[in-house]
Amino acid sequence: MESASRIRTAVIPAAGQGTRMLPATKAVPKELLPILEQPALQLVIDEAVGAGVDHIVIVTSASKPAIEGYFVRTPEVEEALERQGRHALADRLRRYGDDITVSFVHQDEPRGLGHAVGCARSTVGDEPFFVMLPDELMEDSSLLLALADLARDGAAVALKRVPTNEVSRYGVVNPVGDSHVGAHGEVIGFDRVVEKPIATEAPSDLVIIGRYALTPDIFPILDALAPAATGEIQLSDALTIAARAKALIGLVSSIGRRDIGNPVGWLEAVVDAGLAHAEYGEDFEAWLRERLAR
Ligand code: UTP
């Protein structure tokens, strides 16, 4: 059993347009697309709660009312789940608004990840918080717990190494100093983040994956930030400014992770969940093997 971290708040930016998953996202927000029978957002919140978070701040937009709708307590749904014997799931739904506070803030239009995080400023208050991108699913809460542990006097972000031809999809960090292997894995300082560079201009092969432990001093930086060339307020730019005073901490993670913001990544996550399912995983695997042999 993992113990709770000292970070109790998680900001989940969910106001983007989800264009890679169109046309499904015309009707269903990307964050609510199901991984089997559960919306992806539910799994991300479970990850946060597993790390001791009890305040979830969802940044959403007026054009995605289904996100808020999902968190309305509906006793009929809980009773139906109980009747089906799915007690743990019913319990988890009951916790929203009970011991887990879910707050919503609106981003008027998608002006970038940094802008979305900045919208949460007054709701988060003066305390450290996680940022969790809901289109990335992690296998458990261990990464959040490790980041909270590392972010004791500044931000800590999760990194992974990728092949050079993939760097242009991510924010890439410029490492400084020596890395060391600590209790949670390889830890490295960085002083700059370059957003989606072309491969030849990337400062390293270490990219940011969607989990951050931040301190509230990022908010005034975000508020003062000018838009990047893309017109977006980038969280990466704010991290670069924050790193001027002192290098930020990156944890090179090997956690199981799925990027569900694109059709293939979403399908992989669904297949993974199907294979791992306690009730029908075995039957699904048998079907899949038979299907592949055809
Ligand atoms: P993405 O860039 O992956 O999401 O942002 P997107 O823009 O919705 O998707 P595509 O690229 O058009 O397919 C990562 C997360 O940040 C949120 C998104 O909702 C997503 O969960 N986000 C992004 C915001 O909340 N506001 C923004 O302005 C941008």
Side-chain angles (χ1 to χ4, degrees):
M1 179 81 185
E2 287 154 339
S3 58
S5 88
R6 63 196 183 92
I7 298 185
R8 311 289 298 273
T9 301
V11 173
I12 304 183
Q17 290 171 313
T19 55
R20 285 166 296 165
M21 295 298 273
L22 279 170
T25 44
K26 264 180 85 180
V28 182
K30 173 170 80 170
E31 298 76 11
L32 294 183
L33 289 174
I35 305 298
L36 302 190
E37 76 281 41
Q38 296 188 65
L41 185 56
Q42 163 99 55
L43 302 177
V44 174
I45 291 177
D46 289 347
E47 179 195 341
V49 171
V53 166
D54 58 12
H55 185 197
I56 305 284
V57 183
I58 299 177
V59 184
T60 178
S61 91
S63 62
K64 297 167 90 171
I67 291 190
E68 279 170 79
Y70 182 73
F71 294 92
V72 174
R73 278 286 302 274
T74 318
E76 303 87 289
V77 169
E78 291 156 19
E79 283 158 23
L81 288 170
E82 296 285 6
R83 276 198 305 278
Q84 294 168 359
R86 298 156 84 195
H87 307 292
L89 193 51
D91 273 347
R92 267 152 59 209
L93 294 189
R94 243 178 246 121
R95 294 184 74 186
Y96 302 146
D98 195 356
D99 53 341
I100 310 293
T101 304
V102 184
S103 307
F104 299 94
V105 296
H106 283 173
Q107 188 186 26
D108 49 3
E109 52 182 322
R111 293 165 62 191
L113 179 59
H115 183 262
V117 172
C119 291
R121 182 175 187 172
S122 61
T123 311
V124 169
D126 193 23
E127 57 169 299
F129 60 101
F130 294 120
V131 171
M132 305 173 73
L133 302 195
D135 50 6
E136 293 180 42
L137 298 182
M138 305 299 170
E139 67 186 342
D140 58 30
S141 306
S142 60
L143 179 56
L144 290 181
L145 288 163
L147 290 175
D149 199 28
L150 289 168
R152 294 199 172 264
D153 60 348
V157 308
L159 305 175
K160 73 164 188 164
R161 278 184 208 283
V162 296
T164 319
N165 63 347
E166 289 181 19
V167 286
S168 58
R169 291 195 232 145
Y170 296 92
V172 186
V173 302
N174 185 53
V176 288
D178 294 330
S179 70
H180 71 274
V181 178
H184 306 295
E186 186 185 354
V187 175
I188 189 143
F190 64 92
D191 68 353
R192 192 160 55 92
V193 185
V194 184
E195 190 62 24
K196 300 190 171 76
I198 55 169
T200 49
E201 285 171 15
S204 72
D205 60 352
L206 286 167
V207 304
I208 296 186
I209 54 175
R211 297 294 181 267
Y212 308 68
L214 302 178
T215 52
D217 51 9
I218 202 75
F219 288 124
I221 298 176
L222 285 168
D223 280 354
L225 206 58
T230 55
E232 295 191 319
I233 309 268
Q234 308 272 22
L235 184 56
S236 292
D237 290 345
L239 293 175
T240 297
I241 293 171
R244 277 183 200 152
K246 182 166 172 277
L248 303 183
I249 296 166
L251 172 65
V252 185
S253 172
S254 54
I255 194 165
R257 165 185 172 274
R258 291 284 177 212
D259 175 355
I260 56 165
N262 65 84
V264 173
W266 174 82
L267 183 60
E268 288 173 354
V270 172
V271 171
D272 266 352
L275 291 172
H277 199 281
E279 193 187 325
Y280 46 76
E282 234 173 86
D283 287 348
F284 176 62
E285 182 171 349
W287 173 84
L288 192 59
R289 285 185 188 285
E290 187 269 324
R291 173 68 188 76
L292 291 174
R294 258 185 249 163

